[in-house]
Amino acid sequence: MKIAFVSSEVYPYAKTGGLADVSGALPKELAKLGHEVKVFMPKYYPVSEYEYNLHYDNYIGEMKIHIGGISHNTHVFHGYMPDSTVDIYFIHNPHYFHRQQIYTDNWDEDERFILFQKAVIESIQRMGWSPDLIHCNDWQTSLIPLLIKDNYNWDKLFEKTATLLTIHNIGYQGRFSQETLSKTEINGKYFYPNGPIEMEGDVNFLKAGIHFADKINTVSPTYANELLTPEYGAGLDNSLWQRKGDFSGILNGVDYSIWNPEIDKHIPNHYSINDLSGKSENKKFLLKHFNIKYNPNVPLIGIISRMVVQKGFDIIAEVLNELMGLEAQWIILGSGESKYENMFNVLVYKYPDKIGVYIGYNNKLSHLIEAGADIFLMPSHYEPCGLNQIYSLKYGTVPVVRKTGGLADTVQDWNEYNSYGQDIGNGFSFYEYSGKALLQSVNRAINDFHNKLIWPKIQYNGMIKDYSWHHSAEEYNLLYKRTFRK
Ligand code: ADP
Ligand code: GLC
């Protein structure tokens, strides 16, 4: 099939979270299955033509993209995704995309992604390429199904084009005031109370995608079930109920050419399931980097995360003193809400020989933490899929997680799963969203860390699991076929 894969972030060009990892890996796997895939993303300021060998696409040329009647000159750079022949197209409009951050809270955030989506559609038109399916990801791309069904339906090129929307995180919906409607140039008939693109008087991009995409999926089976409940649906559970027959969950995969301790190019000592000695060397290296004394008998707990409520930082805050009282060391990497950044910065002053903190984004350090830590903490309030716990499994870094979404689908609690004689426990999990439950599970993990019979078994159970993209890409393959037939 001919697939247009549209995403606001793609690794290695631009990344704020797991969406980039998925968009960097899945298109290449789909190409291996025989699909013709073209990827589209915005050309943000740091994406360098020289570094990635990108070229101005003469064939597409200069486009005039309309936002509320005003036209914006836009063009496209073309390249190939690393180590592959998959085409990637970068929508170039410096006015909108040359900013400090990928996502902003600027007044024209709506315009940035209206321009992106229309420019994707118009680039496809100029190529004269008729995709069988447009795969949209999150709110930044979720007007596309409606745009091609309505605004661009005069073009026969899209006559047979099906659309799939993947929801990576319902917490981000692209909600803007009513004025945004005229900027999109979408027909006003779709905007009415509780209608397909309206929510409490606002325009809601994600809701439009849920309504108009031919199929919808999310990134784990458990999150798909959770999204149908008011507790997790963030106001869109009813919209999803209405599309229940077209809605499913596919667990994300992992790109083991990047996240694998045997070949990881960011870590000083490689290791494998058969010989974990390199892991202790990485722990030494990591602790030295933060000026913390290495002690093989004290477990090192790692956190790599956007510092937002979604990721469970409020329950960490609840029991912070108790956590710091445990016989453990900590390395924490992340950025986000300043109250959480400050909370950890203060801890470094209080416990300099116990905790190392890096506030910011640091790809190399994220690999080092996976390779050097003993335990990985991810107590998310909700988690559509979560990738770091899956990386942790591969790195023999035992995850402690809250049992929700993709965390529930990938981490089996050691105590729970061994009591049935299944012997497949690969981590620790808790269900109740509270500091107390979190603390209990961290305690269980620390106790078992000291049990030299049990711990290697837990690590082994995680390391042998295969979450490569191959399986998930097969599932997308089937979903694409179902979507196209519809
Ligand atoms: P989410 O997409 O919700 O942030 P995921 O677990 O799916 O959560 O993916 C997060 C990705 O972003 C992982 O690849 C993780 O290593 C990376 N990441 C998160 N925070 C940082 C950071 N501060 N520095 C480097 N990488 C980070
Ligand atoms: C989102 C989710 C995360 C998921 C990622 C990739 O950012 O928060 O759970 O792994 O998208 O699908």
Side-chain angles (χ1 to χ4, degrees):
M1 286 169 77
K2 286 188 272 187
I3 315 284
F5 189 97
V6 192
S7 176
S8 57
E9 40 182 293
V10 181
Y11 184 82
Y13 310 101
K15 167 166 167 176
T16 68
L19 172 61
D21 294 12
V22 172
S23 307
L26 177 57
K28 293 200 245 175
E29 283 303 319
L30 294 166
K32 284 187 202 154
L33 294 177
H35 295 294
E36 180 187 339
V37 191
K38 296 186 191 296
V39 178
F40 295 84
M41 70 173 282
K43 189 172 180 300
Y44 301 108
Y45 182 62
V47 177
S48 142
E49 292 117 68
Y50 309 104
E51 186 180 351
Y52 296 114
N53 198 18
L54 312 179
H55 297 280
Y56 177 89
D57 194 313
N58 277 313
Y59 194 77
I60 294 174
E62 290 292 318
M63 299 183 289
K64 295 206 179 300
I65 306 297
H66 283 251
I67 300 180
I70 299 169
S71 86
H72 298 261
N73 287 345
T74 301
H75 53 264
V76 169
F77 279 86
H78 171 259
Y80 296 100
M81 292 187 75
D83 309 317
S84 90
T85 52
V86 173
D87 294 294
I88 177 157
Y89 296 88
F90 294 87
I91 303 301
H92 186 51
N93 181 305
H95 170 67
Y96 284 119
F97 295 121
H98 283 193
R99 303 205 177 164
Q100 292 295 335
Q101 264 141 1
I102 294 181
Y103 309 120
T104 74
D105 49 15
N106 298 158
W107 65 272
D108 58 355
E109 187 71 354
D110 54 347
E111 296 181 13
R112 300 176 71 219
F113 291 100
I114 293 169
L115 179 115
F116 173 54
Q117 299 180 80
K118 289 189 174 178
V120 168
I121 295 173
E122 297 193 21
S123 305
I124 291 175
Q125 289 179 313
R126 285 180 176 229
M127 287 181 222
W129 182 70
S130 178
D132 296 309
L133 187 133
I134 304 182
H135 186 162
C136 306
N137 294 277
D138 279 350
W139 73 262
Q140 296 85 353
T141 63
S142 62
L143 292 180
I144 290 177
L146 173 55
L147 288 171
I148 65 161
K149 280 191 173 97
D150 204 356
N151 301 50
Y152 293 88
N153 70 356
W154 52 268
D155 193 340
K156 293 265 184 296
L157 201 67
F158 299 120
E159 212 169 38
K160 294 206 173 75
T161 302
T163 52
L164 168 68
L165 169 67
T166 300
I167 300 173
H168 294 264
N169 192 332
I170 203 114
Y172 303 86
Q173 300 183 356
R175 261 180 85 154
F176 302 100
S177 67
Q178 191 179 344
E179 286 81 72
T180 297
L181 184 67
S182 59
K183 298 186 193 173
T184 63
E185 298 175 348
I186 283 171
N187 192 322
K189 72 179 181 191
Y190 298 113
F191 187 84
Y192 56 88
N194 297 318
I197 63 174
E198 193 270 358
M199 187 186 252
E200 294 162 351
D202 290 342
V203 175
N204 185 315
F205 284 24
L206 192 66
K207 189 173 184 188
I210 292 173
H211 195 91
F212 290 101
D214 294 306
K215 294 265 180 200
I216 309 136
N217 82 308
T218 187
V219 289
S220 71
T222 296
Y223 192 56
N225 290 331
E226 289 173 344
L227 282 183
L228 295 169
T229 66
E231 188 188 346
Y232 288 94
L236 290 174
D237 41 303
N238 271 332
S239 304
L240 283 166
W241 261 105
Q242 286 166 24
R243 300 294 319 272
K244 197 166 180 282
D246 291 314
F247 176 50
S248 59
I250 299 179
L251 194 72
N252 285 331
V254 167
D255 188 340
Y256 287 130
S257 69
I258 297 172
W259 292 98
N260 176 353
E262 291 179 51
I263 53 169
D264 188 328
K265 62 177 188 211
H266 299 293
I267 63 175
N269 303 284
H270 290 149
Y271 61 94
S272 72
I273 193 163
N274 300 317
D275 177 7
L276 281 130
S277 52
K279 187 161 177 66
S280 336
E281 293 305 312
N282 291 323
K283 179 173 172 180
K284 275 184 209 160
F285 182 88
L286 177 62
L287 285 169
K288 195 163 173 223
H289 182 78
F290 282 93
N291 260 325
I292 302 175
K293 207 167 147 220
Y294 169 74
N295 180 344
N297 297 318
V298 176
L300 176 62
I301 305 179
I303 295 180
I304 304 164
S305 184
R306 292 184 291 115
M307 290 181 173
V308 292
V309 172
Q310 178 203 339
K311 301 292 181 178
F313 285 97
D314 51 346
I315 58 172
I316 293 182
E318 224 176 280
V319 288
L320 202 55
N321 289 335
E322 289 87 338
L323 289 171
M324 287 302 120
L326 301 173
E327 194 56 29
Q329 296 169 322
W330 299 76
I331 301 289
I332 293 166
L333 163 65
S335 65
E337 287 180 37
S338 51
K339 64 175 173 187
Y340 298 127
E341 295 183 353
N342 295 338
M343 172 174 98
F344 289 116
N345 278 331
V346 168
L347 282 187
V348 183
Y349 281 102
K350 254 173 122 175
Y351 306 97
D353 40 6
K354 206 166 196 181
I355 174 166
V357 173
Y358 183 105
I359 299 295
Y361 183 87
N362 188 327
N363 188 44
K364 189 176 172 63
L365 182 58
S366 72
H367 285 253
L368 262 174
I369 294 176
E370 288 293 2
D374 298 298
I375 294 170
F376 190 85
L377 182 59
M378 201 161 164
S380 307
H381 186 210
Y382 73 91
E383 196 59 71
C385 176
L387 293 170
N388 274 114
Q389 85 282 9
I390 314 184
Y391 303 153
S392 298
L393 292 173
K394 186 72 179 173
Y395 283 72
T397 308
V398 174
V400 176
V401 305
R402 175 158 179 269
K403 208 171 184 168
T404 182
L407 297 171
D409 292 337
T410 50
V411 176
Q412 280 82 40
D413 187 275
W414 170 255
N415 299 110
E416 187 182 336
Y417 280 86
N418 286 329
S419 50
Y420 302 115
Q422 293 182 57
D423 210 18
I424 54 169
N426 58 14
F428 298 86
S429 59
F430 58 98
Y431 184 71
E432 183 188 286
Y433 189 66
S434 71
K436 194 172 139 229
L438 157 76
L439 188 62
Q440 240 172 27
S441 292
V442 173
N443 256 320
R444 283 196 292 134
I446 293 178
N447 280 338
D448 284 344
F449 170 82
H450 294 293
N451 185 328
K452 297 296 173 229
L453 288 177
I454 288 179
W455 195 252
K457 182 72 183 131
I458 304 177
Q459 288 180 303
Y460 177 86
N461 287 347
M463 291 179 89
I464 45 161
K465 282 289 279 194
D466 179 8
Y467 285 105
S468 54
W469 264 110
H470 181 67
H471 304 289
S472 313
E474 283 289 356
E475 287 191 54
Y476 273 101
N477 189 24
L478 294 174
L479 180 57
Y480 285 174
K481 287 187 178 140
R482 286 202 301 273
T483 310
F484 185 64
R485 273 203 299 273
K486 203 179 163 233

